[in-house]
Amino acid sequence: MAIRAGEGSGKSQEGAAVQSVDRALTALEIVAKLGAAGVTEIAAELGVHKSTVSRLIAVLESRGYVEQLSERGKYRLGFTIVRLAGSTSAHMDLPRQSQDVCDELAVRLGETTNIAILDSDRIVNVAEAVGSAGVALRTWVGQSCPAHATSSGKVLLAELSATELRTHLSRRLDSFAPNTITELPALRTQLEQIRRQGWAACEEELEIGLNAVAAPIRDSDGRIIAALSVSGPSYRLPPARFPETARQAIDSAHTISRRLGYTG
């Protein structure tokens, strides 16, 4: 089979890029294992020339993944690693830190509350408290839902840049009910409003007869990492109740955020 001009070199460049990423990650593991390491030590562990390691370390240092110690030539893990680890810990700690807040809000409002995180173009519910009102909704914990058709999803999507939003969502969005937003420009307009007002609502967009309001949960860096939602049948949670429900959801979400280290 003939190889088109440039095809071989393209594959070669891709392979080299993958190898560089692998070496950079291995270098980080070596530094983590040794506590601190110099270029010579890392090169010996990797089995490559010191000049190769020097280039890798320079890039890692510029991004904050490693930092140089006062002792010449020694590197340790940098603050970026700590920040990433903190973000992961916040996600893992969410159910424990938020369950009692969800319980209290569900009792106070009589509606079901959920905590959700973003997973590509969908949300995943990680905690729930069922409301005390007469008509119960199905359990959502562990289930994923389309982000663009849920109040929690809109809160989480509103945090993304335009580039990130294009990465997460296709231009044509799936429809689940007559009120579902199916065009990306229309969704962008609504996300701008959500950023301004600090909360999101869905009026029968995922299911006919189901309404919801959501507020953001932030980590210690102030980033939105999750959303707290209040959902209920449309006759119990009509649009007229959205602002007051949102106010209480924001207060509860802020309580969880403070537990995760947010100080704003």
Side-chain angles (χ1 to χ4, degrees):
M1 177 179 174
I3 298 178
R4 296 190 299 273
E7 182 177 344
S9 62
K11 290 183 178 179
S12 176
Q13 291 173 358
E14 182 180 350
V18 171
Q19 185 180 52
S20 294
V21 172
D22 182 68
R23 284 174 175 171
L25 293 174
T26 304
L28 287 175
E29 292 173 351
I30 292 168
V31 173
K33 180 179 68 174
L34 298 178
V39 169
T40 301
E41 294 170 278
I42 299 170
E45 290 271 353
L46 283 174
V48 299
H49 196 273
K50 288 193 294 183
S51 62
T52 300
V53 174
S54 293
R55 290 193 295 271
L56 291 176
I57 289 296
V59 173
L60 292 172
E61 185 178 19
S62 71
R63 301 292 296 273
Y65 286 93
V66 298
E67 60 184 20
Q68 192 167 21
L69 298 171
S70 56
E71 181 184 349
R72 180 176 172 81
K74 292 283 188 178
Y75 294 86
R76 67 183 177 189
L77 296 181
F79 181 74
T80 296
I81 296 292
V82 177
R83 178 174 56 79
L84 293 176
S87 177
T88 300
S89 297
H91 275 95
M92 294 175 66
D93 209 26
L94 263 175
R96 183 172 66 85
Q97 296 290 1
S98 60
Q99 187 62 62
D100 65 320
V101 179
C102 285
D103 292 341
E104 190 278 331
L105 185 61
V107 169
R108 179 159 26 105
L109 296 179
E111 305 294 355
T112 297
T113 60
N114 280 281
I115 303 293
I117 59 175
L118 188 63
D119 181 18
S120 186
D121 62 345
R122 302 180 70 82
I123 60 164
V124 178
N125 293 286
V126 298
E128 178 185 69
V130 178
S132 58
V135 179
L137 301 170
R138 67 169 179 267
T139 299
W140 294 92
V141 172
Q143 295 189 36
S144 69
C145 301
H148 70 281
T150 60
S151 59
S152 291
K154 289 179 185 179
V155 164
L156 295 165
L157 292 175
E159 175 79 343
L160 303 181
S161 66
T163 300
E164 291 171 327
L165 193 61
R166 285 194 298 269
T167 300
H168 280 71
L169 301 176
S170 61
R171 178 161 291 276
R172 182 69 182 179
L173 306 172
D174 291 336
S175 177
F176 300 92
N179 288 348
T180 306
I181 296 175
T182 57
E183 297 292 341
L184 195 52
L187 179 62
R188 285 200 194 99
T189 298
Q190 190 171 101
L191 295 180
E192 290 174 4
Q193 179 185 352
I194 290 167
R195 281 190 287 269
R196 289 194 300 269
Q197 68 185 15
W199 56 275
C202 274
E203 185 180 357
E204 300 186 81
E205 295 177 42
L206 181 63
E207 293 182 6
I208 294 175
L210 176 65
N211 287 350
V213 171
I217 295 172
R218 299 179 184 273
D219 66 7
S220 58
D221 293 326
R223 294 170 301 179
I224 297 175
I225 61 167
L228 183 155
S229 67
V230 179
S231 57
S234 56
Y235 67 87
R236 274 206 323 256
L237 185 58
R241 283 191 62 197
F242 286 175
E244 174 57 23
T245 303
R247 185 191 65 77
Q248 298 195 53
I250 289 171
D251 289 344
S252 295
H254 191 60
T255 296
I256 298 170
S257 297
R258 288 199 303 270
R259 293 180 178 182
L260 297 175
Y262 178 61
T263 57

